[in-house]
Amino acid sequence: MSAVSDRLPVFPWDKLEPYKATAAAHPGGIVDLSVGTPVDPVPELIQKALVAAADSPGYPTVWGTPELRDALTGWVERRLGARDVTHRNVLPIVGSKELVAWLPTQLGLGPGDKVAYPSLAYPTYEVGARLARAEHVVYDDPTELDPAGLKLLWLNSPSNPTGRVLSAAELTRIVAWAREHGILVFSDECYIELGWEADPVSVLHPDVCGGSYEGIVSVHSLSKRSNLAGYRAAFLAGDPAVLGELLAIRKHGGMMTSAPTQAAVVAALSDDTHVREQRERYAARRTALRDALLSHGFRIEHSEASLYLWATRDESCWSTVAHLADLGILVAPGDFYGEAGEKFVRVALTASDERVAAAVERLR
């Protein structure tokens, strides 16, 4: 077993524990803006759907119920502007992190194959490559990569951690380049409903993909839009050939979303009101934190979407983490996401209104 764990980097969040202890010692208590975990209640209509499906003694299917697939295809067409989406174009997954970590293995990648992801990125892209013993490479512009041996290209728009959004023109250029070189594109779009100063576009939009889903798959999550991180509810949409292979593999692996969760997802995707209400909460928190950080001497880059502010005081990220911890505020150091983040911190919007107000007061 150690041979597998030895392939992996040190779990980054363990490094934050001393700073968490400092922040927790603040007389007013800690304001934890480090991990982007939802704190607001699960909407009532989703809870009711979960409870109504609680008597589910049989095994669920990996592909999900027809009702779930209808909900997935309907949302992809309605929200992303995709066309002619069928059940073969969607696949439920057990949370998006599980998919990211195990996708290279499930695709059969290994030594000699390359997995590429942004130079500032969610650490699990690298973990997935390492688990498969594949090579991992980072990019600022993927079209500048050497395509030889490159089998999987991760896009992430809106970005975690920076909140950067790739334009439709950028996505179109990248997809065309990847298709030219036979490279499979997976686009992590888990924050696509949280655009603030930009309107994020999916790779599945016909303006980007030309109406064909060949060689492209988008990844979506209900953790942020519907506060369902605890439900482990996510899905894929795109190339039916790729999803068909993943479905076959995941059937053997028993990678099933629970039946009550499937029912909850149907309810969540059928309602836009709770999404709008949650966006309004995050928007208010974002404005308050952004103004407070700027007044405290921070500079904020990108951050036009997602649940984070990418902030810097032009010093070591760990110096910034220590400074904020002394104020009782815990944030994530930018180097968790790559060397390019060594002078930034990621500030999450996922704290209660009361805790955000406490952070704002301390920053003043």
Side-chain angles (χ1 to χ4, degrees), residues 83 115 133 143 182 268 312 347:
R83 298 172 183 165
V115 176
R133 301 180 190 245
T143 65
T312 181
V347 183

Side-chain angles (χ1 to χ4, degrees), residues 37-94:
T37 185
V39 298
D40 299 303
V42 174
E44 187 176 357
L45 83 159
I46 300 174
Q47 293 190 48
K48 286 182 176 178
L50 185 84
V51 171
D55 186 14
S56 298
Y59 290 114
T61 64
V62 173
W63 202 15
T65 62
E67 292 78 14
L68 174 60
R69 283 177 263 139
D70 283 342
L72 298 181
T73 57
W75 183 87
V76 168
E77 291 192 336
R78 183 180 81 251
R79 180 60 186 83
L80 304 184
R83 298 172 183 165
D84 302 319
V85 182
T86 71
H87 285 194
R88 294 179 62 245
N89 295 111
V90 294
L91 178 65
I93 53 177
V94 192

Side-chain angles (χ1 to χ4, degrees), residues 15 120 310 317-318 332-344:
K15 301 177 186 177
L120 282 167
W310 188 238
C317 60
W318 288 101
D335 66 4
F336 276 11
Y337 307 95
E339 294 180 4
E342 63 183 1
K343 291 187 176 181
F344 287 79

Side-chain angles (χ1 to χ4, degrees), residues 125-150:
Y125 303 132
E126 177 185 343
V127 168
R130 286 179 176 270
L131 285 170
R133 301 180 190 245
E135 181 183 349
H136 53 92
V137 295
V138 300
Y139 65 81
D140 292 317
D141 180 348
T143 65
E144 296 177 357
L145 292 169
D146 179 357
L150 181 55

Side-chain angles (χ1 to χ4, degrees), residues 210-235:
S212 168
Y213 305 126
E214 181 181 359
I216 56 172
V217 176
S218 63
V219 184
H220 297 277
S221 169
L222 284 84
S223 293
K224 311 303 195 260
R225 74 183 294 280
S226 300
N227 300 332
L228 293 191
Y231 284 43
R232 309 317 300 134
F235 63 94

